[in-house]
Amino acid sequence: MKSQRNISEFILLGLSYDQNMQIFCFVLFLFCYVALLAGNLLILVSIRCSPLFHQPMYYFLSHLSFIDICYTSTVTPKLIADLLVERKTISYSNCMLQVFTMHFFGGTEIFILTAMAFDRYAAICKPLHYVIIMNRTRCHLLVLAAWAGGAIHAFPLFSTAIDLPFCGPNEIDHYFCDIFPLLKFACTDTYITGVLVVAFSGMVALVTFIALFVSYGIILFTLRNLSAEGRRKALSTCWSHITVVFLFFGPVIFIYLRPPTTFPEDKIFALFYTIIAPMFNPLIYTLRNSEMKKAMRKVWCPSLFSKKAHN
């Protein structure tokens, strides 16, 4: 701990050195963050205040929206504020906290997406047993397991980061604290640490992505036995999930499933899973979902909804 205290704060180099680009990014990411909060809160409240909350798919979706808000809020407000200042700093303790929360909420999101894929598999491939398979108790257990999985995923990485001795320099070529950028200037041999990071982050993401890919392959194969209307409805839901999975897992696998090193492009890829994917989740899950749109109208425009129902 003595060597770690040689550095009390880190300097974040951010996304760009160009002042005009920073102003543009400030406006862009402020808009993205407001849209992200509004969209996910809209979904969260609409589901919680409607009968959809008792359906497993929407129960998981409400948790996904909550996690997206928490996950992106660990880095985005700091990113937006830093775009207005010349010297971007973060204290040692806040940096370590950011490492933990990023991987905790990120890991939880991975397992929630897995639970959603399992729900779609049960609904389409085992329709007669769906109510029994996805009973309320099992839904609660899957969500609990997702949060526990996020903690199990985050604690080893947090312990690894907090045990690193830092002697200087203290400049992180990123817009938030993460393991690989920290390994770059730790004054010790980080080979074993890098392997552990790849195992806990890269391999977890890859194995989960393969499992999701196989499960959706089975689902799409099963759809050929359904009616045209049944295929259309199931596909609209599945394509939403698949889009979210690719937006989130693609950049994560690119960054974490490789030898411990950093590239300038990492910051651009990180934007996808920290801001872009959480922002697009509400649009992806609502634009082609008639039940979700109906629930939102009922919650937010009850007088208009009752008028239409009466007519």
Side-chain angles (χ1 to χ4, degrees):
M1 291 298 290
K2 187 178 178 181
S3 62
Q4 290 172 354
R5 293 306 176 193
N6 288 339
I7 291 179
S8 60
E9 68 176 16
F10 298 98
I11 298 172
L12 300 170
L13 299 184
L15 291 171
S16 173
Y17 297 105
D18 183 77
Q19 186 65 32
N20 292 328
M21 180 59 71
Q22 289 193 58
I23 293 172
F24 171 77
C25 288
F26 170 80
V27 175
L28 175 64
F29 294 132
L30 180 61
F31 170 79
C32 289
Y33 186 56
V34 171
L36 183 154
L37 291 178
N40 281 291
L41 282 172
L42 185 66
I43 284 184
L44 185 60
V45 174
S46 297
I47 292 175
R48 293 276 176 166
C49 297
S50 74
L52 290 182
F53 184 66
H54 301 288
Q55 296 184 32
M57 183 179 83
Y58 298 101
Y59 174 73
F60 293 133
L61 180 55
S62 67
H63 280 275
L64 180 66
S65 292
F66 176 72
I67 292 167
D68 276 339
I69 292 170
C70 297
Y71 180 54
T72 196
S73 294
T74 61
V75 297
T76 308
K78 171 69 175 166
L79 166 62
I80 294 170
D82 281 347
L83 289 168
L84 296 177
V85 297
E86 185 176 346
R87 191 169 185 268
K88 307 163 179 44
T89 61
I90 184 169
S91 67
Y92 176 85
S93 56
N94 284 341
C95 182
M96 295 301 113
L97 179 63
Q98 203 171 62
V99 169
F100 174 75
T101 53
M102 274 289 296
H103 287 278
F104 173 60
F105 290 119
T108 305
E109 176 147 351
I110 285 175
F111 296 121
I112 285 289
L113 289 170
T114 306
M116 293 175 76
F118 177 70
D119 170 68
R120 290 301 85 202
Y121 169 80
I124 294 169
C125 301
K126 307 284 184 182
L128 298 179
H129 302 95
Y130 176 70
V131 176
I132 299 172
I133 295 172
M134 297 304 297
N135 59 63
R136 203 60 175 174
T137 301
R138 181 158 291 152
C139 289
H140 289 321
L141 288 174
L142 284 171
V143 169
L144 184 63
W147 286 99
I152 292 169
H153 165 74
F155 271 112
L157 297 172
F158 172 69
S159 300
T160 297
I162 210 167
D163 285 337
L164 290 173
F166 300 111
C167 314
N170 64 339
E171 291 185 341
I172 301 176
D173 189 15
H174 216 304
Y175 61 89
F176 66 90
C177 287
D178 203 4
I179 297 288
F180 280 167
L182 289 173
L183 291 180
K184 193 174 181 179
F185 57 89
C187 50
T188 186
D189 182 14
T190 59
Y191 176 77
I192 299 299
T193 304
V195 171
L196 289 174
V197 174
V198 171
F200 274 97
S201 289
M203 288 305 298
V204 167
L206 180 64
V207 170
T208 307
F209 177 76
I210 292 172
L212 292 174
F213 188 80
V214 171
S215 69
Y216 281 117
I218 295 170
I219 289 170
L220 294 174
F221 181 76
T222 306
L223 289 179
R224 61 192 177 89
N225 298 322
L226 299 181
S227 64
E229 178 62 22
R231 276 198 302 271
R232 186 196 63 77
K233 187 175 180 180
L235 277 172
S236 67
T237 302
C238 287
W239 283 125
S240 299
H241 291 203
I242 292 170
T243 304
V244 169
V245 165
F246 272 99
L247 272 176
F248 185 81
F249 280 91
V252 168
I253 291 171
F254 172 81
I255 289 177
Y256 293 106
L257 195 67
R258 70 183 191 211
T261 184
T262 58
F263 299 113
E265 295 80 10
D266 288 353
K267 292 182 278 189
I268 305 302
F269 278 94
L271 289 173
F272 277 90
Y273 60 82
T274 57
I275 300 175
I276 296 173
M279 180 184 70
F280 277 108
N281 279 359
L283 292 175
I284 291 168
Y285 281 111
T286 56
L287 283 180
R288 300 182 63 186
N289 191 318
S290 58
E291 285 187 318
M292 191 69 237
K293 287 187 282 190
K294 183 179 177 181
M296 289 164 73
R297 284 195 298 267
K298 190 173 182 180
V299 171
W300 299 102
C301 305
S303 57
L304 183 62
F305 182 84
S306 59
K307 188 183 292 184
K308 284 186 177 181
H310 180 74
N311 293 335

